[in-house]
Amino acid sequence: MSAAEFLGTVVEKTNPGHPAASRRILRTDQYLAKFMMDAMLQPLKDPDHSCIVSIFTPCEMVQEAGLHPYNVEGFSCYLSASFAGGICTRKAERDGISDTLCSYHKTFVGAAMNGLLPKPRCILYTSLACDANLLTFPRLAAYYQVPSFCIDVPTDVSEDAVAYVRDELVKARQFLCETTGRPIEEDALKARVKRSRESLLAYEQVQRDRADRFVPADLVTPLYSAMTANILLGTPEEARYVRMLQEDLRSAPAKRGKHIYWMHTIPFWSDAVKKYFLFQDSAQIVACELAQACSPDFDTGDPMLGMAQRLVRNAINGPAERRIANGIRHARDARADGVIWFNHWGCKHTLGVSRLAKQAFEDAGFPTLLLDGDGCDRAHGGEGQTSTRIGAFLEMLRND
């Protein structure tokens, strides 16, 4: 049975009273899966027209330069899903990468050094959010011997920081033009940035509309949404995906089970997490923080200014209180019954503020589970404890 056939069977079984709605949901999931698969395959098929990027790189410029975004976190998920992640992380560690480095980055670096990933045209990344960026991307640039550019994003969330990042983006645009020999037309870039804002606004509305609806949920769709809402933002395909979500909700049945808002990345490979959230009536992950870290509050008349505002105002930039407040706002929009804050191994930003986050979410009325694990590395273990803790958390929610 193919993955699509399996998905169809499960959706029909979990939504027996609404077969038409199930078929529409299936079409949307298939569209998203194909959209993401195409995005992953293009850099492999045509590496000379690809650019390695970090998750929050404003890829509208990359797209207009005729390059395919070649994303570290996205590719590492695919390697993990194919059970190839282990040989990559071991290679990276043998070559001196610390075992405490984020496993997404470690997997990608190891895959490059194992010869699994082709040489890109260039690398464009930001300093935003993840301290692993400042190790991974220079190392990859040295390994592949390709030009790279880092968009420096201050942690000070201010208008001065926006002006500084706008200048950084002007330099990044020039870098892409010089690297590819192709101009980035102002009107085309403006249209992409405008489409990005429209997609982000529409996705926020989808989350509000979903609050009282039941939509069968898997573990990869929220991660796909996080990818499309970042590296594929501004594409017509992303805009179409959000429209399809809106159409699905019009005929979705009333909510059943518990809605969980998930903070940080999701260990899609975990059997323990699948047990409770893979197409379950009793509980669904209704959203992932990473799909809503970019605020739609940015200018579209000046695309460079708009992208700079989006970077500086990203919820994960600056003090941890900003990230927590953003999570609370979106959990409220989704009328979540509970929150899981996932302490992904190697992410100091997430681990360090977990206790503060739990207190803030619970003060806001959201029971919160701090769950330790690894979003990418299957060798992390702890499946028994993960199952016990999620089970107890959901039981508590049902008894409230």
Side-chain angles (χ1 to χ4, degrees):
M1 181 182 289
S2 71
E5 288 170 336
F6 170 76
L7 181 61
T9 300
V10 175
V11 171
E12 292 289 352
K13 284 182 178 178
T14 56
N15 204 8
H18 301 268
S22 295
R23 285 191 291 272
R24 279 191 289 274
I25 291 163
L26 175 59
R27 284 197 296 270
T28 302
D29 285 347
Q30 287 178 321
Y31 174 81
L32 179 60
K34 183 179 184 304
F35 177 23
M36 277 300 300
M37 184 62 74
D38 288 346
M40 295 296 104
L41 291 178
Q42 283 301 325
L44 303 181
K45 293 177 179 177
D46 187 14
D48 194 50
H49 291 90
S50 69
C51 175
I52 290 179
V53 298
S54 58
I55 188 171
F56 295 123
T57 298
C59 287
E60 293 96 335
M61 292 191 299
V62 175
Q63 296 151 9
E64 283 303 317
L67 297 173
H68 310 294
Y70 191 179
N71 176 249
V72 166
E73 292 85 356
F75 264 95
S76 293
C77 281
Y78 274 87
L79 289 165
S80 177
S82 63
F83 292 86
I87 61 170
C88 299
T89 55
R90 289 193 293 274
K91 171 64 174 173
E93 289 173 3
R94 283 197 302 270
D95 284 14
I97 299 293
S98 169
D99 65 353
T100 62
L101 185 73
C102 171
S103 57
Y104 292 99
H105 287 250
K106 191 162 47 176
T107 299
F108 194 93
V109 170
M113 292 178 174
N114 271 333
L116 295 176
L117 300 176
K119 177 179 177 178
R121 172 67 70 88
C122 60
I123 297 173
L124 180 66
Y125 64 104
T126 80
S127 63
L128 177 61
C130 182
D131 57 0
N133 289 355
L134 302 182
L135 184 152
T136 298
F137 295 102
R139 188 174 186 121
L140 290 169
Y143 176 77
Y144 285 121
Q145 292 293 291
V146 296
S148 68
F149 187 92
C150 176
I151 302 166
D152 182 37
V153 181
T155 57
D156 173 33
V157 183
S158 67
E159 291 308 306
D160 286 345
V162 169
Y164 171 79
V165 174
R166 187 187 184 283
D167 289 343
E168 289 282 284
L169 290 173
V170 170
K171 296 173 189 174
R173 179 177 181 170
Q174 186 63 29
F175 164 79
L176 290 170
C177 292
E178 291 174 356
T179 301
T180 62
R182 172 173 169 165
I184 296 176
E185 301 294 342
E186 184 72 9
D187 287 346
L189 184 60
K190 186 183 294 186
R192 282 196 183 268
V193 172
K194 182 174 183 290
R195 192 184 296 124
S196 294
R197 184 172 185 272
E198 290 168 351
S199 293
L200 289 173
L201 284 168
Y203 189 77
E204 288 204 345
Q205 187 59 51
V206 163
Q207 291 305 111
R208 287 190 285 270
D209 292 344
R210 183 177 177 164
D212 60 355
R213 298 292 180 182
F214 170 72
V215 178
D218 59 14
L219 302 183
V220 294
T221 296
L223 289 175
Y224 282 160
S225 296
M227 286 291 105
T228 61
N230 286 288
I231 63 168
L232 298 173
L233 199 57
T235 63
E237 293 84 358
E238 164 68 356
R240 183 187 173 197
Y241 166 59
V242 178
R243 287 196 300 271
M244 291 174 76
L245 289 175
Q246 292 172 317
E247 291 166 6
D248 287 344
L249 286 172
R250 293 191 186 108
S251 56
K255 174 189 173 182
R256 56 179 181 264
K258 297 299 181 181
H259 280 187
I260 302 298
Y261 195 85
W262 194 282
M263 295 294 290
H264 204 35
T265 189
I266 301 171
F268 66 92
W269 55 268
S270 167
D271 287 336
V273 179
K274 291 176 187 176
K275 174 182 174 182
Y276 293 105
F277 296 117
L278 181 62
F279 297 116
Q280 296 296 320
D281 281 14
S282 57
Q284 303 94 43
I285 297 172
V286 294
C288 173
E289 169 205 21
L290 296 177
Q292 296 184 283
C294 292
S295 168
D297 178 24
F298 57 85
D299 189 276
T300 57
D302 176 352
M304 307 307 283
L305 176 62
M307 290 184 291
Q309 290 169 334
R310 198 172 77 218
L311 284 169
V312 172
R313 296 172 185 172
N314 187 293
I316 306 180
N317 191 39
E321 288 81 1
R322 297 187 66 253
R323 179 184 184 185
I324 295 166
N326 187 67
I328 290 172
R329 179 167 70 86
H330 287 124
R332 219 170 250 143
D333 283 348
R335 289 209 282 277
D337 298 291
V339 171
I340 293 181
W341 181 280
F342 186 65
N343 284 322
H344 169 64
W345 172 250
C347 184
K348 301 177 185 68
H349 190 285
T350 302
L351 291 162
V353 302
S354 59
R355 296 290 174 184
L356 176 66
K358 179 177 172 66
Q359 185 65 56
F361 274 102
E362 292 188 340
D363 287 347
F366 297 104
T368 301
L369 171 66
L370 301 183
L371 186 64
D372 297 332
D374 196 295
C376 185
D377 188 357
R378 292 171 178 269
H380 187 272
E383 285 286 85
Q385 184 183 58
T386 297
S387 180
T388 299
R389 299 194 68 212
I390 294 177
F393 181 64
L394 293 177
E395 185 64 27
M396 179 196 72
L397 295 182
R398 285 191 287 268
N399 291 335
D400 276 356

